[in-house]
Amino acid sequence: MTFSRSFPTGLHNLASRASTEMASNRPGTVKSAVRALIETRLGGNLRFWASWRDATRENKFVREIANKLSASILKPTELRSQIRKPHADTLFILGSGASVEDLDPENFREINSQVSVGINAWPLHHFVPDFYAFEPVPEDDSDHYRTMSLLARPDILAKQPHVLFLKPRTQIEVDQFFQIPVKLRSRTLLYGRFQPSTRALRNLSSDLGRLIGKLEATNFPVVPDSGASIVRMAALGILMGFKRIVFVGVDLNNTHYFWERNPAHLARNGIEGFSSGQTRDTHETMERIKRPFIVTEMIQALATPGKARGTEILVASKNSELATIVGVYRFEERAVQPKI
């Protein structure tokens, strides 16, 4: 039975029209009226249908690209079992913020005892996580363009981490995929993303809960997103069934990075300089210019369905912007400071 057949014809037609109106940029009262309708409590099924339609299309697209590249696709439940740490209950999401430099060797030993994912520029750091996650960049003049080539470091190759690569859409992005060392190519998994159809913050958490439940049942290689790698990895952590998700180096209230605070990270990789690409004082994921919800809204919205599935979302730095909405993780003690 196809998904569309689960809806009466009239409702299906209205949902199709609603999703088309959501995707268009045409001004007018029709679009506004449709948007108002689908953001009501009664429009929940319409929002879910539109979101799941996008997730299904993304699933198909990821599989097509993977076939062309002879690559594997992400399956959240399988990735959890492939990382051979059956007793690990915490996923550490490693960002590039300057607060990374506040961690000591004992903290990294604790992270290493659990499961960790390094995002985008993380290969500049000496700590090798269980898997890396990359979002390809659209221009080849960005310092991030060759980040994947850093995976050729001997200590990284020796650990054989998995590599998650957001599905490429252009030749430049395909070129970045092939920068991944051949020795890690068989451990590279393509995945996709989709945005929830709602544009009302009051609906975001409940809509994400329904979508995550559906993703759990299908094991699709896609995750909800709003233009931020940490959101995708948090959703993946929920789907993988971790008890805790802890953000490390995810500061958001500034654009200072660990390699700026400690240039030894660059020297270790034979690099003189590395531009983050950020042009403002706050991180770009905190701006609404390119996204319906900023990153803190998405993380806060994910916290509720996460908790319902037994996953708690925390942040390692009390100075992070996230510390205003989630608890602060204390290394070793496993105690949590109440959110501000």
Side-chain angles (χ1 to χ4, degrees), residues 54-71:
D54 291 343
T56 301
R57 288 178 175 176
E58 184 77 343
N59 168 59
K60 181 180 179 181
F61 184 55
V62 170
R63 292 174 186 273
E64 290 174 351
I65 295 296
N67 184 58
K68 292 179 180 178
L69 297 178
S70 298

mmCIF file of all heavy atoms in Angstrom, residues 54-71:
data_model
loop_
_atom_site.group_PDB
_atom_site.id
_atom_site.type_symbol
_atom_site.label_atom_id
_atom_site.label_comp_id
_atom_site.label_asym_id
_atom_site.label_seq_id
_atom_site.Cartn_x
_atom_site.Cartn_y
_atom_site.Cartn_z
ATOM 1 N N ASP A 54 8.658 14.542 1.153
ATOM 2 C CA ASP A 54 10.011 15.036 0.914
ATOM 3 C C ASP A 54 11.060 14.028 1.387
ATOM 4 O O ASP A 54 12.088 13.834 0.735
ATOM 5 C CB ASP A 54 10.222 16.377 1.618
ATOM 6 C CG ASP A 54 9.409 17.505 0.989
ATOM 7 O OD1 ASP A 54 8.954 17.326 -0.162
ATOM 8 O OD2 ASP A 54 9.232 18.546 1.646
ATOM 9 N N ALA A 55 10.807 13.400 2.533
ATOM 10 C CA ALA A 55 11.743 12.398 3.049
ATOM 11 C C ALA A 55 11.844 11.207 2.106
ATOM 12 O O ALA A 55 12.932 10.664 1.872
ATOM 13 C CB ALA A 55 11.308 11.943 4.439
ATOM 14 N N THR A 56 10.712 10.803 1.546
ATOM 15 C CA THR A 56 10.692 9.668 0.623
ATOM 16 C C THR A 56 11.439 9.994 -0.666
ATOM 17 O O THR A 56 12.191 9.165 -1.198
ATOM 18 C CB THR A 56 9.235 9.265 0.311
ATOM 19 O OG1 THR A 56 8.569 8.926 1.528
ATOM 20 C CG2 THR A 56 9.188 8.076 -0.632
ATOM 21 N N ARG A 57 11.237 11.207 -1.173
ATOM 22 C CA ARG A 57 11.962 11.633 -2.379
ATOM 23 C C ARG A 57 13.468 11.695 -2.112
ATOM 24 O O ARG A 57 14.274 11.297 -2.953
ATOM 25 C CB ARG A 57 11.445 12.997 -2.829
ATOM 26 C CG ARG A 57 10.045 12.955 -3.442
ATOM 27 C CD ARG A 57 9.588 14.355 -3.805
ATOM 28 N NE ARG A 57 8.310 14.336 -4.509
ATOM 29 C CZ ARG A 57 7.635 15.426 -4.876
ATOM 30 N NH1 ARG A 57 8.140 16.621 -4.590
ATOM 31 N NH2 ARG A 57 6.486 15.326 -5.501
ATOM 32 N N GLU A 58 13.836 12.191 -0.938
ATOM 33 C CA GLU A 58 15.251 12.273 -0.590
ATOM 34 C C GLU A 58 15.855 10.881 -0.460
ATOM 35 O O GLU A 58 16.987 10.638 -0.880
ATOM 36 C CB GLU A 58 15.420 13.064 0.714
ATOM 37 C CG GLU A 58 16.856 13.292 1.125
ATOM 38 C CD GLU A 58 17.578 14.385 0.341
ATOM 39 O OE1 GLU A 58 17.081 14.765 -0.742
ATOM 40 O OE2 GLU A 58 18.632 14.859 0.802
ATOM 41 N N ASN A 59 15.103 9.967 0.114
ATOM 42 C CA ASN A 59 15.554 8.577 0.218
ATOM 43 C C ASN A 59 15.859 7.999 -1.163
ATOM 44 O O ASN A 59 16.918 7.382 -1.384
ATOM 45 C CB ASN A 59 14.478 7.745 0.916
ATOM 46 C CG ASN A 59 14.726 6.254 0.806
ATOM 47 O OD1 ASN A 59 15.753 5.735 1.228
ATOM 48 N ND2 ASN A 59 13.760 5.554 0.214
ATOM 49 N N LYS A 60 14.973 8.237 -2.092
ATOM 50 C CA LYS A 60 15.169 7.743 -3.459
ATOM 51 C C LYS A 60 16.390 8.387 -4.102
ATOM 52 O O LYS A 60 17.195 7.707 -4.752
ATOM 53 C CB LYS A 60 13.916 8.041 -4.291
ATOM 54 C CG LYS A 60 14.010 7.543 -5.738
ATOM 55 C CD LYS A 60 12.738 7.873 -6.508
ATOM 56 C CE LYS A 60 12.840 7.411 -7.963
ATOM 57 N NZ LYS A 60 11.603 7.758 -8.732
ATOM 58 N N PHE A 61 16.537 9.690 -3.902
ATOM 59 C CA PHE A 61 17.654 10.410 -4.510
ATOM 60 C C PHE A 61 18.989 9.931 -3.947
ATOM 61 O O PHE A 61 19.961 9.734 -4.682
ATOM 62 C CB PHE A 61 17.485 11.917 -4.279
ATOM 63 C CG PHE A 61 18.525 12.757 -4.956
ATOM 64 C CD1 PHE A 61 18.748 12.659 -6.318
ATOM 65 C CD2 PHE A 61 19.279 13.663 -4.238
ATOM 66 C CE1 PHE A 61 19.705 13.441 -6.954
ATOM 67 C CE2 PHE A 61 20.246 14.449 -4.857
ATOM 68 C CZ PHE A 61 20.455 14.330 -6.217
ATOM 69 N N VAL A 62 19.059 9.751 -2.625
ATOM 70 C CA VAL A 62 20.292 9.269 -1.997
ATOM 71 C C VAL A 62 20.674 7.910 -2.561
ATOM 72 O O VAL A 62 21.844 7.651 -2.866
ATOM 73 C CB VAL A 62 20.128 9.189 -0.465
ATOM 74 C CG1 VAL A 62 21.312 8.451 0.169
ATOM 75 C CG2 VAL A 62 20.011 10.587 0.133
ATOM 76 N N ARG A 63 19.708 7.033 -2.737
ATOM 77 C CA ARG A 63 19.989 5.697 -3.256
ATOM 78 C C ARG A 63 20.465 5.760 -4.710
ATOM 79 O O ARG A 63 21.354 4.995 -5.112
ATOM 80 C CB ARG A 63 18.745 4.810 -3.130
ATOM 81 C CG ARG A 63 18.393 4.500 -1.677
ATOM 82 C CD ARG A 63 17.076 3.751 -1.538
ATOM 83 N NE ARG A 63 16.698 3.584 -0.150
ATOM 84 C CZ ARG A 63 17.091 2.584 0.631
ATOM 85 N NH1 ARG A 63 17.871 1.635 0.128
ATOM 86 N NH2 ARG A 63 16.714 2.515 1.894
ATOM 87 N N GLU A 64 19.896 6.668 -5.488
ATOM 88 C CA GLU A 64 20.329 6.816 -6.881
ATOM 89 C C GLU A 64 21.777 7.314 -6.951
ATOM 90 O O GLU A 64 22.583 6.804 -7.732
ATOM 91 C CB GLU A 64 19.400 7.776 -7.612
ATOM 92 C CG GLU A 64 18.005 7.218 -7.862
ATOM 93 C CD GLU A 64 17.068 8.249 -8.462
ATOM 94 O OE1 GLU A 64 17.449 9.442 -8.521
ATOM 95 O OE2 GLU A 64 15.939 7.876 -8.869
ATOM 96 N N ILE A 65 22.099 8.323 -6.135
ATOM 97 C CA ILE A 65 23.460 8.858 -6.117
ATOM 98 C C ILE A 65 24.440 7.799 -5.625
ATOM 99 O O ILE A 65 25.539 7.639 -6.176
ATOM 100 C CB ILE A 65 23.540 10.112 -5.230
ATOM 101 C CG1 ILE A 65 22.697 11.234 -5.823
ATOM 102 C CG2 ILE A 65 24.985 10.566 -5.051
ATOM 103 C CD1 ILE A 65 23.170 11.730 -7.171
ATOM 104 N N ALA A 66 24.056 7.076 -4.588
ATOM 105 C CA ALA A 66 24.931 6.032 -4.049
ATOM 106 C C ALA A 66 25.218 4.972 -5.103
ATOM 107 O O ALA A 66 26.350 4.477 -5.218
ATOM 108 C CB ALA A 66 24.294 5.398 -2.817
ATOM 109 N N ASN A 67 24.213 4.630 -5.889
ATOM 110 C CA ASN A 67 24.399 3.636 -6.945
ATOM 111 C C ASN A 67 25.386 4.139 -7.999
ATOM 112 O O ASN A 67 26.259 3.391 -8.456
ATOM 113 C CB ASN A 67 23.053 3.304 -7.589
ATOM 114 C CG ASN A 67 23.162 2.206 -8.628
ATOM 115 O OD1 ASN A 67 23.606 1.099 -8.339
ATOM 116 N ND2 ASN A 67 22.738 2.510 -9.846
ATOM 117 N N LYS A 68 25.279 5.414 -8.367
ATOM 118 C CA LYS A 68 26.178 5.987 -9.375
ATOM 119 C C LYS A 68 27.612 6.065 -8.870
ATOM 120 O O LYS A 68 28.570 5.918 -9.643
ATOM 121 C CB LYS A 68 25.686 7.370 -9.790
ATOM 122 C CG LYS A 68 24.378 7.356 -10.577
ATOM 123 C CD LYS A 68 23.945 8.766 -10.922
ATOM 124 C CE LYS A 68 22.624 8.764 -11.703
ATOM 125 N NZ LYS A 68 22.160 10.132 -12.018
ATOM 126 N N LEU A 69 27.771 6.297 -7.572
ATOM 127 C CA LEU A 69 29.102 6.432 -6.993
ATOM 128 C C LEU A 69 29.640 5.118 -6.439
ATOM 129 O O LEU A 69 30.751 5.083 -5.901
ATOM 130 C CB LEU A 69 29.084 7.479 -5.867
ATOM 131 C CG LEU A 69 28.723 8.912 -6.262
ATOM 132 C CD1 LEU A 69 28.694 9.809 -5.036
ATOM 133 C CD2 LEU A 69 29.708 9.457 -7.294
ATOM 134 N N SER A 70 28.854 4.058 -6.568
ATOM 135 C CA SER A 70 29.212 2.754 -5.993
ATOM 136 C C SER A 70 29.493 2.897 -4.493
ATOM 137 O O SER A 70 30.465 2.346 -3.958
ATOM 138 C CB SER A 70 30.435 2.170 -6.708
ATOM 139 O OG SER A 70 30.145 1.948 -8.072
ATOM 140 N N ALA A 71 28.636 3.665 -3.831
ATOM 141 C CA ALA A 71 28.795 3.929 -2.402
ATOM 142 C C ALA A 71 27.679 3.258 -1.615
ATOM 143 O O ALA A 71 26.627 2.895 -2.163
ATOM 144 C CB ALA A 71 28.781 5.437 -2.148
#
